[in-house]
Amino acid sequence: MIKNYPDTLFEEMKLLSKFPFESQQEGIKVHKDADPSVVAAAKSLFDKGLTTKPDGGYLTASGFETVDHLNHVLVTLS
């Protein structure tokens, strides 16, 4: 069965891939004037409990684990 994934999911994945993975002491900041899809992705990641702030911040423990899985997928597909 082929599943249709919303574009917002891919925006969230792209944003997650930008978080520094080497250190939990580093985060990102999404500025208010960023592309609306990126701003929405940042808020959605926060709502899902993956980041500490609606405009990025740091990864939570769940966010860090999710990024780890995402990195495995991206390496496999690259």
Side-chain angles (χ1 to χ4, degrees):
M1 177 169 104
I2 296 177
K3 216 172 179 181
N4 289 323
Y5 295 102
D7 290 340
T8 54
L9 178 67
F10 295 107
E11 288 298 327
E12 292 172 19
M13 291 171 62
K14 286 193 291 187
L15 187 56
L16 279 173
S17 72
K18 294 181 182 189
F19 275 86
F21 188 69
E22 297 77 29
S23 169
Q24 289 182 309
Q25 304 298 319
E26 296 180 53
I28 64 170
K29 166 79 171 157
V30 175
H31 294 276
K32 292 177 183 150
D33 61 348
D35 187 281
S37 64
V38 175
V39 172
K43 171 118 177 41
S44 180
L45 292 174
F46 172 74
D47 291 343
K48 292 176 181 178
L50 300 176
T51 60
T52 59
K53 296 191 176 215
D55 62 352
Y58 299 94
L59 292 170
T60 63
S62 293
F64 199 77
E65 183 178 343
T66 301
V67 170
D68 184 39
H69 292 294
L70 177 60
N71 284 336
H72 286 288
V73 169
L74 293 174
V75 165
T76 300
L77 295 176
S78 296

